[in-house]
Amino acid sequence: MNVNRKVLTLDEFTIQELRGLPHATGQLSSLLRDIGLAAKRVNVEVNKAGLVDILGDTGTINVQGEDVKKLDIFANNQFMGVLKHGISCAGIGSEEMDDFVVFDDEISNASKYVVMFDPLDGSGNIDVNISIGTIFSVFKRVSELGKPCTKEDFLQPGNRQVAAGYVIYGSSTMLVYATSRAVNGFTLDTAIGEFCLSHPDIQCPVDGKMYSVNHGNFFQYEKQVQEYITACQKKNKTNGGPYTQRYIGSMVADVHRNLIKGGIFMYPATTDKPKGKLRLMYECKPLAFIVEKAGGKATDGKNRILDLQPEALHQRTPFFIGSKNMMEELEGFLTA
Ligand code: AHM
Ligand code: MG
């Protein structure tokens, strides 16, 4: 058997990283490995989603709807379960749950981190075989170690994240995560059941030619946003336009593509949703941390996402994220 020892698994990579940090306790590495394990379990079920539709108990539309919902809950329980049974996480917040969950046992109370996640983003795409994702965000606790974690641990601004990442269940399954050091991407090798380092030190291209936005909402956007979108569609020597429009309806997939190839993703406020649709804590802050760490930018149209002080767990925000120069071009329109 030809074993390629140049390929590092997620576990090997996190252990290797620890060697460069002699004072690290290993809790963050262990937490990332726990997330990798949950991602593998969810991946198995996501791959079966189409089959479940065909072989479902009654095959009616209602049952299909329930199956899709079940996968959301399955993903939620997998991530919550591995984090609860691990040694690094004191509690979690999830887009699927009304309130945060305090694990409150001896090991969890001694753990340094809390995690917030969207277990299955873009879940409306499950039953049509389109990429979906998990997004996660890791904070160091501000509450006293040895005691149960508190709401203040969760309501921290994005610039306090110690790590953030996503899993994309696509044509291949990838885990991408950022720490203060770098953004690295791991592709699941299904033959050995391991995430392997495939995209070391990801840098978001400074320029891009793709814009991602729901055009169906065009007439609900504010005027400056409409003007920017219109400019994206025009020939323009300075920005290389017209740009190509790509909108999957699974933000993880859109942002992942833009991170690798360059581009901008927008979910602006609409007249129906004046605060935007996307959730600051579970979706926007972690993606902003990753893209900024890779050299891009992320704002709510006025402020840096990472500087927003959250007020509620399920808070929504308008969201603009992507390549540095495209974001600055957008900012020119928004401040005009
Ligand atoms: P969800 O968390 O309910 O799945 O919603 C988030 C998703 C994003 O992945 C995607 O970009 C957006 O909603 C699509 O919304 P719309 O259909 O309004 O364009
Ligand atoms: Mg979501």
Short mmCIF file of all heavy atoms in Angstrom, two decimals, residues 201-244:
data_model
loop_
_atom_site.label_atom_id
_atom_site.label_comp_id
_atom_site.label_asym_id
_atom_site.label_seq_id
_atom_site.Cartn_x
_atom_site.Cartn_y
_atom_site.Cartn_z
N ASP A 201 -2.88 27.35 5.00
CA ASP A 201 -2.73 28.81 5.00
C ASP A 201 -3.54 29.49 3.87
O ASP A 201 -2.99 30.14 2.99
CB ASP A 201 -1.24 29.17 4.87
CG ASP A 201 -1.00 30.63 5.22
OD1 ASP A 201 -1.88 31.26 5.82
OD2 ASP A 201 0.07 31.15 4.85
N ILE A 202 -4.85 29.35 3.95
CA ILE A 202 -5.72 29.92 2.90
C ILE A 202 -5.66 31.45 2.93
O ILE A 202 -5.76 32.06 4.00
CB ILE A 202 -7.19 29.46 3.12
CG1 ILE A 202 -7.29 27.93 2.96
CG2 ILE A 202 -8.13 30.17 2.15
CD1 ILE A 202 -8.65 27.36 3.33
N GLN A 203 -5.48 32.02 1.75
CA GLN A 203 -5.52 33.49 1.60
C GLN A 203 -6.66 33.82 0.65
O GLN A 203 -6.73 33.26 -0.45
CB GLN A 203 -4.20 34.01 1.00
CG GLN A 203 -2.97 33.73 1.83
CD GLN A 203 -2.93 34.53 3.14
OE1 GLN A 203 -3.38 35.67 3.19
NE2 GLN A 203 -2.43 33.90 4.19
N CYS A 204 -7.51 34.74 1.04
CA CYS A 204 -8.62 35.15 0.16
C CYS A 204 -8.06 36.10 -0.90
O CYS A 204 -7.43 37.11 -0.55
CB CYS A 204 -9.69 35.86 1.00
SG CYS A 204 -11.12 36.40 0.04
N PRO A 205 -8.26 35.82 -2.20
CA PRO A 205 -7.74 36.74 -3.22
C PRO A 205 -8.23 38.17 -2.95
O PRO A 205 -9.37 38.37 -2.54
CB PRO A 205 -8.32 36.18 -4.52
CG PRO A 205 -8.57 34.74 -4.23
CD PRO A 205 -8.95 34.68 -2.78
N VAL A 206 -7.36 39.14 -3.20
CA VAL A 206 -7.70 40.54 -2.89
C VAL A 206 -8.81 41.03 -3.82
O VAL A 206 -9.66 41.82 -3.44
CB VAL A 206 -6.44 41.41 -3.06
CG1 VAL A 206 -6.73 42.84 -2.62
CG2 VAL A 206 -5.30 40.84 -2.25
N ASP A 207 -8.79 40.57 -5.06
CA ASP A 207 -9.82 40.93 -6.04
C ASP A 207 -10.64 39.69 -6.36
O ASP A 207 -10.20 38.56 -6.12
CB ASP A 207 -9.17 41.42 -7.35
CG ASP A 207 -8.55 42.78 -7.16
OD1 ASP A 207 -9.29 43.71 -6.82
OD2 ASP A 207 -7.32 42.89 -7.33
N GLY A 208 -11.80 39.92 -6.94
CA GLY A 208 -12.62 38.78 -7.37
C GLY A 208 -13.54 39.22 -8.48
O GLY A 208 -13.66 40.41 -8.77
N LYS A 209 -14.20 38.26 -9.07
CA LYS A 209 -15.11 38.58 -10.17
C LYS A 209 -16.51 38.01 -9.93
O LYS A 209 -17.32 37.95 -10.83
CB LYS A 209 -14.55 38.01 -11.48
CG LYS A 209 -13.35 38.77 -12.03
CD LYS A 209 -13.18 38.45 -13.49
CE LYS A 209 -12.14 39.21 -14.24
NZ LYS A 209 -11.38 40.23 -13.62
N MET A 210 -16.77 37.55 -8.70
CA MET A 210 -18.09 36.97 -8.44
C MET A 210 -18.81 37.73 -7.34
O MET A 210 -18.20 38.09 -6.33
CB MET A 210 -17.93 35.52 -8.03
CG MET A 210 -17.65 34.64 -9.22
SD MET A 210 -17.68 32.94 -8.76
CE MET A 210 -16.18 32.41 -9.54
N TYR A 211 -20.09 37.94 -7.53
CA TYR A 211 -20.90 38.51 -6.45
C TYR A 211 -22.09 37.59 -6.19
O TYR A 211 -22.65 37.00 -7.10
CB TYR A 211 -21.35 39.94 -6.78
CG TYR A 211 -22.41 40.08 -7.84
CD1 TYR A 211 -23.72 40.38 -7.49
CD2 TYR A 211 -22.11 39.92 -9.19
CE1 TYR A 211 -24.70 40.52 -8.45
CE2 TYR A 211 -23.10 40.05 -10.16
CZ TYR A 211 -24.38 40.35 -9.78
OH TYR A 211 -25.36 40.47 -10.74
N SER A 212 -22.40 37.44 -4.90
CA SER A 212 -23.45 36.52 -4.47
C SER A 212 -24.50 37.31 -3.70
O SER A 212 -24.19 37.88 -2.65
CB SER A 212 -22.89 35.46 -3.53
OG SER A 212 -21.68 34.96 -4.00
N VAL A 213 -25.70 37.34 -4.22
CA VAL A 213 -26.79 38.05 -3.54
C VAL A 213 -28.11 37.49 -4.07
O VAL A 213 -28.16 37.00 -5.21
CB VAL A 213 -26.69 39.58 -3.79
CG1 VAL A 213 -27.03 39.96 -5.23
CG2 VAL A 213 -27.54 40.38 -2.81
N ASN A 214 -29.16 37.57 -3.25
CA ASN A 214 -30.48 37.13 -3.72
C ASN A 214 -31.11 38.25 -4.56
O ASN A 214 -31.60 39.24 -4.02
CB ASN A 214 -31.36 36.79 -2.51
CG ASN A 214 -32.69 36.21 -2.94
OD1 ASN A 214 -33.16 36.43 -4.05
ND2 ASN A 214 -33.30 35.45 -2.04
N HIS A 215 -31.06 38.08 -5.89
CA HIS A 215 -31.58 39.11 -6.79
C HIS A 215 -33.09 39.27 -6.67
O HIS A 215 -33.63 40.30 -7.04
CB HIS A 215 -31.22 38.76 -8.25
CG HIS A 215 -29.99 39.46 -8.72
ND1 HIS A 215 -30.00 40.74 -9.19
CD2 HIS A 215 -28.72 39.04 -8.78
CE1 HIS A 215 -28.77 41.09 -9.52
NE2 HIS A 215 -27.97 40.08 -9.28
N GLY A 216 -33.75 38.21 -6.19
CA GLY A 216 -35.21 38.29 -6.03
C GLY A 216 -35.62 39.39 -5.07
O GLY A 216 -36.75 39.89 -5.12
N ASN A 217 -34.70 39.78 -4.18
CA ASN A 217 -35.01 40.82 -3.19
C ASN A 217 -34.59 42.21 -3.67
O ASN A 217 -34.67 43.17 -2.90
CB ASN A 217 -34.28 40.52 -1.87
CG ASN A 217 -34.83 39.29 -1.17
OD1 ASN A 217 -35.98 38.91 -1.39
ND2 ASN A 217 -34.01 38.65 -0.36
N PHE A 218 -34.11 42.31 -4.93
CA PHE A 218 -33.47 43.56 -5.40
C PHE A 218 -34.26 44.81 -5.04
O PHE A 218 -33.72 45.78 -4.53
CB PHE A 218 -33.26 43.49 -6.92
CG PHE A 218 -32.53 44.68 -7.48
CD1 PHE A 218 -31.14 44.73 -7.49
CD2 PHE A 218 -33.24 45.77 -7.99
CE1 PHE A 218 -30.47 45.84 -7.99
CE2 PHE A 218 -32.58 46.87 -8.50
CZ PHE A 218 -31.19 46.91 -8.51
N PHE A 219 -35.57 44.77 -5.29
CA PHE A 219 -36.36 46.01 -5.10
C PHE A 219 -36.65 46.28 -3.63
O PHE A 219 -37.24 47.29 -3.29
CB PHE A 219 -37.65 45.94 -5.93
CG PHE A 219 -37.33 45.97 -7.41
CD1 PHE A 219 -37.45 44.82 -8.19
CD2 PHE A 219 -36.84 47.13 -8.00
CE1 PHE A 219 -37.11 44.83 -9.54
CE2 PHE A 219 -36.50 47.16 -9.36
CZ PHE A 219 -36.63 46.01 -10.13
N GLN A 220 -36.21 45.36 -2.75
CA GLN A 220 -36.37 45.60 -1.30
C GLN A 220 -35.08 46.14 -0.68
O GLN A 220 -35.05 46.42 0.51
CB GLN A 220 -36.71 44.28 -0.60
CG GLN A 220 -38.10 43.77 -0.88
CD GLN A 220 -38.51 42.80 0.21
OE1 GLN A 220 -38.37 43.06 1.40
NE2 GLN A 220 -39.00 41.66 -0.19
N TYR A 221 -34.00 46.20 -1.47
CA TYR A 221 -32.73 46.70 -0.90
C TYR A 221 -32.71 48.23 -0.91
O TYR A 221 -33.37 48.87 -1.74
CB TYR A 221 -31.54 46.19 -1.72
CG TYR A 221 -31.38 44.67 -1.73
CD1 TYR A 221 -30.97 44.00 -2.88
CD2 TYR A 221 -31.63 43.92 -0.59
CE1 TYR A 221 -30.82 42.62 -2.90
CE2 TYR A 221 -31.48 42.53 -0.60
CZ TYR A 221 -31.08 41.89 -1.75
OH TYR A 221 -30.94 40.53 -1.76
N GLU A 222 -31.88 48.79 -0.03
CA GLU A 222 -31.76 50.25 -0.05
C GLU A 222 -31.04 50.68 -1.33
O GLU A 222 -30.32 49.88 -1.95
CB GLU A 222 -31.05 50.77 1.21
CG GLU A 222 -29.64 50.29 1.35
CD GLU A 222 -28.92 50.93 2.54
OE1 GLU A 222 -29.28 52.03 2.96
OE2 GLU A 222 -27.96 50.31 3.02
N LYS A 223 -31.21 51.98 -1.68
CA LYS A 223 -30.77 52.48 -2.98
C LYS A 223 -29.27 52.23 -3.23
O LYS A 223 -28.89 51.79 -4.32
CB LYS A 223 -31.08 53.99 -3.03
CG LYS A 223 -30.95 54.60 -4.39
CD LYS A 223 -31.65 55.97 -4.41
CE LYS A 223 -30.98 56.90 -5.38
NZ LYS A 223 -29.83 57.62 -4.84
N GLN A 224 -28.44 52.48 -2.23
CA GLN A 224 -26.99 52.33 -2.45
C GLN A 224 -26.62 50.88 -2.76
O GLN A 224 -25.69 50.64 -3.54
CB GLN A 224 -26.20 52.77 -1.20
CG GLN A 224 -26.18 54.26 -0.98
CD GLN A 224 -27.19 54.66 0.08
OE1 GLN A 224 -28.30 54.11 0.13
NE2 GLN A 224 -26.81 55.60 0.92
N VAL A 225 -27.33 49.94 -2.13
CA VAL A 225 -27.06 48.52 -2.40
C VAL A 225 -27.48 48.19 -3.83
O VAL A 225 -26.76 47.52 -4.58
CB VAL A 225 -27.78 47.60 -1.38
CG1 VAL A 225 -27.64 46.14 -1.77
CG2 VAL A 225 -27.25 47.84 0.02
N GLN A 226 -28.65 48.71 -4.23
CA GLN A 226 -29.11 48.50 -5.62
C GLN A 226 -28.09 49.06 -6.60
O GLN A 226 -27.79 48.45 -7.63
CB GLN A 226 -30.46 49.20 -5.84
CG GLN A 226 -31.61 48.55 -5.09
CD GLN A 226 -32.93 49.27 -5.33
OE1 GLN A 226 -32.96 50.40 -5.81
NE2 GLN A 226 -34.02 48.62 -4.98
N GLU A 227 -27.54 50.23 -6.27
CA GLU A 227 -26.56 50.85 -7.19
C GLU A 227 -25.29 50.01 -7.30
O GLU A 227 -24.71 49.86 -8.37
CB GLU A 227 -26.25 52.28 -6.73
CG GLU A 227 -27.39 53.23 -7.06
CD GLU A 227 -27.26 54.61 -6.41
OE1 GLU A 227 -26.29 54.84 -5.65
OE2 GLU A 227 -28.15 55.43 -6.66
N TYR A 228 -24.87 49.46 -6.18
CA TYR A 228 -23.67 48.61 -6.22
C TYR A 228 -23.94 47.36 -7.07
O TYR A 228 -23.12 46.98 -7.91
CB TYR A 228 -23.22 48.21 -4.81
CG TYR A 228 -22.08 47.20 -4.86
CD1 TYR A 228 -20.81 47.57 -5.28
CD2 TYR A 228 -22.30 45.85 -4.55
CE1 TYR A 228 -19.78 46.65 -5.38
CE2 TYR A 228 -21.27 44.92 -4.64
CZ TYR A 228 -20.01 45.33 -5.06
OH TYR A 228 -19.00 44.40 -5.17
N ILE A 229 -25.10 46.72 -6.85
CA ILE A 229 -25.42 45.50 -7.60
C ILE A 229 -25.50 45.83 -9.10
O ILE A 229 -24.99 45.07 -9.94
CB ILE A 229 -26.75 44.88 -7.09
CG1 ILE A 229 -26.56 44.37 -5.66
CG2 ILE A 229 -27.21 43.75 -8.00
CD1 ILE A 229 -27.84 43.91 -4.98
N THR A 230 -26.07 46.96 -9.41
CA THR A 230 -26.16 47.37 -10.82
C THR A 230 -24.76 47.57 -11.39
O THR A 230 -24.46 47.16 -12.52
CB THR A 230 -27.00 48.66 -10.94
OG1 THR A 230 -28.26 48.40 -10.33
CG2 THR A 230 -27.23 49.05 -12.39
N ALA A 231 -23.86 48.17 -10.58
CA ALA A 231 -22.48 48.38 -11.04
C ALA A 231 -21.78 47.04 -11.28
O ALA A 231 -20.96 46.92 -12.20
CB ALA A 231 -21.72 49.21 -10.02
N CYS A 232 -22.12 46.04 -10.47
CA CYS A 232 -21.52 44.70 -10.64
C CYS A 232 -21.86 44.12 -12.02
O CYS A 232 -21.14 43.28 -12.54
CB CYS A 232 -22.04 43.73 -9.58
SG CYS A 232 -21.43 44.01 -7.93
N GLN A 233 -22.98 44.58 -12.58
CA GLN A 233 -23.46 44.02 -13.85
C GLN A 233 -22.95 44.79 -15.06
O GLN A 233 -23.26 44.43 -16.18
CB GLN A 233 -25.00 44.04 -13.86
CG GLN A 233 -25.60 43.17 -12.76
CD GLN A 233 -27.09 43.39 -12.58
OE1 GLN A 233 -27.57 44.52 -12.57
NE2 GLN A 233 -27.82 42.31 -12.46
N LYS A 234 -22.15 45.84 -14.80
CA LYS A 234 -21.72 46.70 -15.92
C LYS A 234 -20.26 46.48 -16.27
O LYS A 234 -19.45 46.11 -15.42
CB LYS A 234 -21.94 48.16 -15.54
CG LYS A 234 -23.41 48.51 -15.51
CD LYS A 234 -23.60 49.99 -15.32
CE LYS A 234 -25.08 50.33 -15.41
NZ LYS A 234 -25.38 51.60 -14.79
N LYS A 235 -19.96 46.77 -17.52
CA LYS A 235 -18.56 46.72 -17.97
C LYS A 235 -17.82 47.86 -17.28
O LYS A 235 -18.30 48.98 -17.24
CB LYS A 235 -18.52 46.91 -19.49
CG LYS A 235 -17.36 46.21 -20.14
CD LYS A 235 -17.47 46.23 -21.65
CE LYS A 235 -16.39 45.38 -22.27
NZ LYS A 235 -16.49 43.98 -21.93
N ASN A 236 -16.70 47.55 -16.69
CA ASN A 236 -15.99 48.58 -15.94
C ASN A 236 -14.50 48.25 -15.94
O ASN A 236 -14.10 47.21 -15.42
CB ASN A 236 -16.55 48.58 -14.51
CG ASN A 236 -15.90 49.63 -13.64
OD1 ASN A 236 -14.74 49.98 -13.84
ND2 ASN A 236 -16.65 50.12 -12.68
N LYS A 237 -13.74 49.16 -16.51
CA LYS A 237 -12.30 48.87 -16.65
C LYS A 237 -11.60 48.80 -15.29
O LYS A 237 -10.68 48.04 -15.09
CB LYS A 237 -11.64 49.97 -17.49
CG LYS A 237 -11.81 49.74 -18.98
CD LYS A 237 -10.88 50.64 -19.76
CE LYS A 237 -11.35 50.68 -21.20
NZ LYS A 237 -11.66 52.00 -21.68
N THR A 238 -12.04 49.60 -14.31
CA THR A 238 -11.30 49.63 -13.05
C THR A 238 -11.55 48.39 -12.21
O THR A 238 -10.67 47.90 -11.52
CB THR A 238 -11.64 50.88 -12.21
OG1 THR A 238 -13.05 50.91 -12.04
CG2 THR A 238 -11.16 52.14 -12.88
N ASN A 239 -12.79 47.86 -12.26
CA ASN A 239 -13.04 46.70 -11.39
C ASN A 239 -13.13 45.37 -12.15
O ASN A 239 -13.43 44.34 -11.56
CB ASN A 239 -14.31 46.91 -10.55
CG ASN A 239 -15.57 46.91 -11.41
OD1 ASN A 239 -15.52 46.59 -12.59
ND2 ASN A 239 -16.69 47.25 -10.82
N GLY A 240 -12.87 45.43 -13.46
CA GLY A 240 -12.88 44.18 -14.22
C GLY A 240 -14.27 43.63 -14.48
O GLY A 240 -14.43 42.48 -14.87
N GLY A 241 -15.31 44.46 -14.24
CA GLY A 241 -16.69 44.00 -14.43
C GLY A 241 -17.02 43.80 -15.90
O GLY A 241 -16.22 44.16 -16.76
N PRO A 242 -18.16 43.24 -16.28
CA PRO A 242 -19.19 42.80 -15.34
C PRO A 242 -18.75 41.56 -14.56
O PRO A 242 -18.03 40.71 -15.08
CB PRO A 242 -20.38 42.48 -16.24
CG PRO A 242 -19.76 42.12 -17.57
CD PRO A 242 -18.53 42.94 -17.68
N TYR A 243 -19.23 41.50 -13.31
CA TYR A 243 -18.93 40.33 -12.50
C TYR A 243 -19.90 39.20 -12.85
O TYR A 243 -20.94 39.41 -13.47
CB TYR A 243 -19.10 40.65 -11.00
CG TYR A 243 -18.16 41.71 -10.48
CD1 TYR A 243 -18.57 42.57 -9.46
CD2 TYR A 243 -16.86 41.84 -10.96
CE1 TYR A 243 -17.71 43.53 -8.95
CE2 TYR A 243 -16.01 42.80 -10.45
CZ TYR A 243 -16.44 43.64 -9.45
OH TYR A 243 -15.60 44.59 -8.94
N THR A 244 -19.52 38.01 -12.38
CA THR A 244 -20.40 36.84 -12.54
C THR A 244 -21.24 36.69 -11.28
O THR A 244 -20.71 36.79 -10.17
CB THR A 244 -19.54 35.58 -12.73
OG1 THR A 244 -18.81 35.74 -13.94
CG2 THR A 244 -20.40 34.34 -12.81
#
